[in-house]
Amino acid sequence: MSARVAISRALLILVTLVFATFFYGAAGHVDFAENWGDGSFGLTLGLRNNVVRAVRPGSPAARAGIRAGDRLVLPRDVKAWQRLRAPYAGSRTEVVVRRAGAPLRRVRLVAVPVPHFGVLQRIGGVLDLIPPTVFLLVAFALVFLRPSVMSWSFYVFSIGYFGTQPAMLYWSHVLPAPAFTIASFVTIGIFGAWSPMPLLPFVLRFPNGDLAGWRRRADVLIWIVLGLSLAVAVAGWAEVTLAGHNPAWYGAFNVYLPLLAFALGAAIVLKNYAAVKPADRQRTGFLVLGVIASFVAYAIYFLPFVSQTAGQIAQLGVVIMPICIAYAVFRLRVLDINFVLNRALVIGLLSIFVIALLSLLDWAFSQLIGLGRFTLGLELLVTIAAGFLLDRINRALNRAVEWLFFRKRHEAEAYLRRTAVALPYATDERAVTEALVQVPAEALHLSGAAMYRGTDDGRRYEGLATSAQTPLAPHGFDANDLLVRMLLAGEVPVWLDPLRSALDASAAALYVIAVPVVVRHELVAFTLYGAHQNGAQLDPDEVELLSELAKEAARAYDHIEAVRVRERYALGAAT
């Protein structure tokens, strides 16, 4: 591993820990629409000049005589507006009220619990973290496996998908003013309306990371647009946060910049798809549809006439993008990374995600029980219920993963296992050859398969058959060939990546693994297998299945040889 990759991964882990702490800290304090639920003064403040837009009847603000249209004079503290808007129940504060035609007056407010904000609302706030968590997991995996401008761009966009409002409301009570100002700059100035912009360098480079032809010229313009828009975003943040003024242009900027990013991103994706090779369109077609559908879902959130609740619901569709990208990368191998997908990995990762989510829910319930001063027995019941729920979810998750990702593979496995069980009963080597070559190629949709059989003198392994999918195969192998010696020494499958120089260029691009057929520690034959026809790599379960088939083929060869010996013996006895 190079120093650059090591530094990139260390930075990735550090940044992820910082942002995860920041964004997940507010879990349970807001609802699905990001409304604060811990306390309230009964005020609704506008961003412009701290003018009171509404006062809830019977609230502390109403009892203090504050009315809509009043302007609150707040100290030059970046936390003051946030803490006034989202206090904890019991918090006390003093504000100066300015009203037209009346002298300034100072009032004291004591926050009360937010009415009608219960367990379901807090759970909704926790569940609202699921879509950005999916983004973060996929982006983290991409950067960790292949650090590049492309993967880092997607990571920056993924962080920006987290809602900044809940985190800012929560941390206004925790961080000192200087640290909160920095957090405000990062989350609002960078990861606010500007956050969709890193999509552009990502989709321009996806999937190979290169910038050939028109994309190289477009990349320069995109980085100029990113720099200028970031400067405007930071200027808007400074105007609102530091100067306490919200200019009209900043509101329009927050709406139209994300919409521009999605429009340009969709245009780039479609142009890339039009230029892709016909053989690769099967792998990228669904990805294009998923990304564009995600763009549309995300764009709805920024439309000014869409309510926040409706926008939050529409945003759930954005998870189509990371799911499509993860499937394209890890299953269809559109990126050249050393990674394969199998059942244990998929179910394991999803189980970890479910456990983490339920742990978060259990923590949220514990917090609620603590706030309500309920008994320890009730907290124990909640924990036990979470355990039972985890078991049910894990079972349902396993069934869903098997059906969604591996249903066709189940059918192929059943077919190959039946073929393997029948092999020892073969009395003709042609049946063994077909079982090792054509049957796996058809069942697993492989790009090719080629079988080699040892000669009688043991000096060479000559080509015996190729699958119908392709007649292309390497020439025979000498007994001293490195591949032959590795198969004989280990008696296990050998990946061909380190041995590419020993194969012809055309065959080296097609075949990925060699599986031996060993009878009493003698290498009788071996089969070369290609990747899947859609470009996906063989995963460990499939390699194990091919190895099982080869072991049964060894028994078949042993049986065929025994039959031949008996026939020769019977013929000799008869003469």
Side-chain angles (χ1 to χ4, degrees):
M1 182 173 59
S2 66
R4 182 180 66 84
V5 172
I7 293 173
S8 181
R9 289 179 174 176
L11 178 63
L12 170 69
I13 294 172
L14 177 62
V15 171
T16 302
L17 288 175
V18 170
F19 277 97
T21 301
F22 185 81
F23 286 116
Y24 290 108
H29 295 279
V30 294
D31 65 5
F32 184 80
E34 300 183 350
N35 297 305
W36 182 257
D38 282 309
S40 172
F41 294 121
L43 289 167
T44 301
L45 291 177
L47 285 175
R48 183 171 299 180
N49 299 327
N50 299 323
V51 175
V52 178
R53 294 171 53 190
V55 177
R56 191 177 69 247
S59 66
R63 292 195 298 271
I66 299 176
R67 300 196 307 241
D70 290 347
R71 182 176 179 271
L72 303 184
V73 181
L74 301 180
R76 282 198 168 275
D77 181 354
V78 71
K79 299 171 57 175
W81 187 85
Q82 299 280 7
R83 297 190 65 173
L84 187 63
R85 181 185 175 195
Y88 282 112
S91 297
R92 300 172 182 271
T93 189
E94 288 187 354
V95 295
V96 176
V97 180
R98 173 176 291 170
R99 182 178 301 166
L104 294 179
R105 62 191 185 92
R106 184 182 299 272
V107 299
R108 177 172 294 182
L109 302 174
V110 180
V112 296
V114 176
H116 312 300
F117 197 97
V119 174
L120 293 180
Q121 285 74 22
R122 295 182 187 272
I123 293 176
V126 175
L127 296 179
D128 187 46
L129 289 170
I130 294 178
T133 300
V134 175
F135 266 97
L136 186 62
L137 290 175
V138 173
F140 183 93
L142 286 181
V143 177
F144 190 86
L145 294 171
R146 188 180 178 183
S148 64
V149 174
M150 180 186 69
S151 57
W152 271 109
S153 297
F154 184 71
Y155 181 85
V156 174
F157 165 75
S158 300
I159 292 179
Y161 184 61
F162 280 91
T164 58
Q165 176 176 298
M168 294 300 294
L169 296 176
Y170 172 77
W171 289 101
S172 65
H173 298 277
V174 178
L175 295 177
F180 187 78
T181 302
I182 296 174
S184 171
F185 170 77
V186 174
T187 56
I188 298 177
I190 299 177
F191 293 109
W194 186 83
S195 61
M197 296 301 290
L199 270 176
L200 300 181
F202 168 72
V203 296
L204 191 67
R205 289 166 170 78
F206 191 82
N208 299 318
D210 59 348
L211 288 172
W214 68 272
R215 291 189 290 182
R216 182 176 298 278
R217 297 187 297 272
D219 186 56
V220 176
L221 296 177
I222 283 176
W223 285 108
I224 292 175
V225 171
L226 260 66
L228 293 176
S229 58
L230 179 60
V232 175
V234 172
W237 166 83
E239 186 78 9
V240 172
T241 306
L242 301 181
H245 176 67
N246 185 26
W249 64 264
Y250 188 56
F253 174 83
N254 287 336
V255 172
Y256 293 112
L257 182 67
L259 296 179
L260 174 64
F262 298 132
L264 290 177
I268 293 172
V269 167
L270 290 175
K271 186 168 179 60
N272 280 339
Y273 179 71
V276 78
K277 297 178 180 178
D280 294 331
R281 288 191 176 178
Q282 180 182 1
R283 292 193 292 161
T284 57
F286 85 98
L287 178 64
V288 172
L289 292 176
V291 169
I292 291 180
S294 182
F295 284 177
V296 172
Y298 202 173
I300 291 174
Y301 177 79
F302 288 94
L303 294 176
F305 54 82
V306 176
S307 68
Q308 186 174 14
T309 302
Q312 292 290 108
I313 295 173
Q315 268 195 298
L316 295 177
V318 181
V319 296
I320 298 173
M321 182 194 301
I323 291 173
C324 287
I325 291 173
Y327 188 78
V329 170
F330 301 134
R331 184 62 179 166
L332 301 185
R333 301 280 291 182
V334 297
L335 286 183
D336 183 19
I337 57 176
N338 185 22
F339 187 84
V340 290
L341 181 73
N342 66 347
R343 288 190 191 88
L345 180 65
V346 173
I347 295 175
L349 290 176
L350 291 177
S351 296
I352 291 173
F353 172 71
V354 171
I355 291 172
L357 177 62
L358 285 179
S359 299
L360 190 60
L361 287 175
D362 182 54
W363 173 84
F365 274 121
S366 300
Q367 293 293 106
L368 295 177
I369 290 170
L371 290 173
R373 295 177 174 82
F374 291 106
T375 64
L376 182 62
L378 181 56
E379 184 173 356
L380 181 61
L381 289 176
V382 169
T383 304
I384 294 173
F388 279 109
L389 183 60
L390 176 61
D391 180 66
R392 295 295 296 272
I393 291 178
N394 190 53
R395 293 181 187 178
L397 188 64
N398 290 350
R399 290 194 297 269
V401 169
E402 293 291 342
W403 182 87
L404 181 62
F405 291 103
F406 303 106
R407 178 171 52 87
K408 291 185 178 179
R409 235 258 302 279
H410 274 304
E411 299 171 358
E413 284 183 353
Y415 179 39
L416 289 178
R417 292 190 191 283
R418 289 195 300 268
T419 301
V421 170
L423 262 178
Y425 299 95
T427 57
D428 191 320
E429 286 196 13
R430 287 177 296 182
V432 181
T433 302
E434 181 183 8
L436 288 175
V437 177
Q438 191 59 36
V439 171
E442 291 180 351
L444 298 177
H445 302 286
L446 303 181
S447 56
M451 182 177 173
Y452 295 82
R453 182 77 159 87
T455 57
D456 292 337
D457 59 11
R459 294 182 178 179
R460 283 190 61 77
Y461 289 82
E462 298 292 353
L464 192 62
T466 60
S467 62
Q469 284 78 2
T470 176
L472 180 66
H475 301 298
F477 293 85
D478 187 81
N480 284 315
D481 190 280
L482 178 59
L483 174 60
V484 174
R485 287 185 282 120
M486 291 178 69
L487 289 170
L488 185 58
E491 299 184 4
V492 293
V494 173
W495 291 96
L496 300 181
D497 280 341
L499 307 174
R500 294 295 178 194
S501 59
L503 303 175
D504 343 52
S506 55
L510 176 64
Y511 296 103
V512 296
I513 195 170
V515 179
V517 179
V518 180
V519 179
R520 291 188 293 275
H521 303 292
E522 177 186 352
L523 183 63
V524 175
F526 61 89
T527 309
L528 304 182
Y529 294 104
H532 294 283
Q533 293 174 6
N534 62 6
Q537 183 61 282
L538 293 170
D539 67 32
D541 290 340
E542 292 169 329
V543 174
E544 180 64 29
L545 194 58
L546 294 174
S547 299
E548 182 180 330
L549 194 65
K551 291 176 183 178
E552 295 302 325
R555 294 180 59 191
Y557 277 127
D558 203 21
H559 177 247
I560 291 171
E561 183 62 27
V563 170
R564 288 174 179 171
V565 170
R566 285 198 301 270
E567 289 176 349
R568 286 198 297 267
Y569 178 78
L571 182 62
T575 56

